[in-house]
Amino acid sequence: MQRAMRLLETVAEHEYGAPAKQLARETGLALPTAYHLLRTLVHEGYLRRDKGLFFLGEAAERLSSSGAKQKRRSTVADALAHCRDAIGVPVYYAMYREGDVEVMCVSDTPGNPAVEEWADFRETGHAHAIGQCLLSQLDEDARRDHLDRYPVQSLTPYTVRDGHTLLRRLERVRRMEPVTERQEYALGTVCAAIPITVGTTAATMAISLPSHQADRLLPAAQQLQREVGRHLGSIAISISI
């Protein structure tokens, strides 16, 4: 296993491929051993051979891609944890992708737990600050398409009553302005979300607080905007996850 890994690492260093003899020499393997391992790695899809030269295969590239994604996710999680600790509230990161609201990462603590997803976040974008913030970044046709697929439904006595009212509310959201909701998704909870737009992708970071701390909501959202400004590079890379 270790010898095979050495071969893979050595092949990865040669962008334009390398012959078996060179790989054997650079890894310190006997030529027959190198040939045997190279044939096995080609058979398994980790290497490919073309005109006597060896290159990384699809299986190895998938491993590399998976590792890069894990690293990006870890970077985003670290940025969220920093914001959580700086503000003292749960922090959420979400994107609007392929017609759905997707919560990508949540950072909370036992003392400040995240909102329980008692109703599917994807189907209730009209009710929570995350969904409203993402929908506010879409054009009118995309908003209507979303509401056709996920109609407005009352989750609490404070939930917006119908799609027309929601659309009017979204039209009034100013660019880069925090979007807030108070007990529309869950009784006893208030939330705020700030828009993050990288290219054409709509994204948001959000916070939640118990309703008896509602007076903290806007100051905390403004602090979140400042923190995001400092960590935007780390957060933006997750757009490609």
Side-chain angles (χ1 to χ4, degrees), residues 15-241:
E15 182 180 355
Y16 301 104
K21 288 183 179 180
Q22 181 179 354
L23 294 170
R25 184 173 64 253
E26 292 181 5
T27 55
L29 295 173
L31 190 56
T33 302
Y35 271 126
H36 171 72
L37 290 171
L38 289 168
R39 281 197 299 268
T40 301
L41 290 168
V42 169
H43 178 72
E44 296 294 335
Y46 291 101
L47 294 179
R48 61 182 177 86
R49 186 176 182 179
D50 183 23
K51 298 178 181 177
L53 301 178
F54 291 90
F55 303 82
L56 289 180
E58 290 185 4
E61 289 170 354
R62 283 197 299 271
L63 283 176
S64 174
S65 175
S66 176
K69 285 184 178 181
Q70 288 179 357
K71 184 175 181 180
R72 289 199 295 270
R73 289 182 188 276
S74 177
T75 300
V76 173
D78 288 346
L80 260 65
H82 178 90
C83 294
R84 175 202 68 201
D85 293 341
I87 308 171
V89 296
V91 180
Y92 311 76
Y93 180 71
M95 297 167 57
Y96 194 80
R97 191 158 64 172
E98 297 180 0
D100 276 323
V101 173
E102 290 192 31
V103 178
M104 311 297 293
C105 189
V106 180
S107 187
D108 64 354
T109 64
N112 291 299
V115 177
E116 181 182 353
E117 187 180 354
W118 73 274
D120 192 326
F121 280 145
R122 291 175 301 177
E123 299 177 5
T124 56
H126 62 281
H128 48 72
I130 286 173
Q132 292 177 23
C133 186
L134 292 173
L135 291 173
S136 74
Q137 297 176 60
L138 307 180
D139 60 35
E140 185 176 351
D141 289 342
R143 291 174 191 166
R144 291 185 181 277
D145 172 72
H146 182 91
L147 294 177
D148 285 343
R149 290 180 291 112
Y150 301 115
V152 169
Q153 53 181 307
S154 292
L155 302 180
T156 78
Y158 304 97
T159 307
V160 64
R161 288 287 168 248
D162 55 69
H164 181 67
T165 303
L166 176 66
L167 288 171
R168 283 193 302 171
R169 180 195 294 184
L170 295 175
E171 288 172 359
R172 293 195 297 270
V173 174
R174 296 179 182 176
R175 186 173 179 273
M176 303 312 295
E177 181 181 79
V179 175
T180 62
E181 62 89 358
R182 298 168 189 266
Q183 304 190 83
E184 293 183 49
Y185 175 77
L187 291 174
T189 302
V190 296
C191 300
I194 62 169
I196 301 171
T197 303
V198 179
T200 58
T201 302
T204 182
M205 280 183 66
I207 57 174
S208 62
L209 285 163
S211 55
H212 68 267
Q213 296 182 27
D215 59 331
R216 286 187 58 204
L217 188 63
L218 279 178
Q222 291 165 352
Q223 187 176 355
L224 178 65
Q225 282 184 309
R226 292 192 293 272
E227 294 295 335
V228 168
R230 298 188 186 103
H231 296 277
L232 185 58
S234 299
I235 296 162
I237 60 172
S238 77
I239 294 294
S240 61
I241 291 177

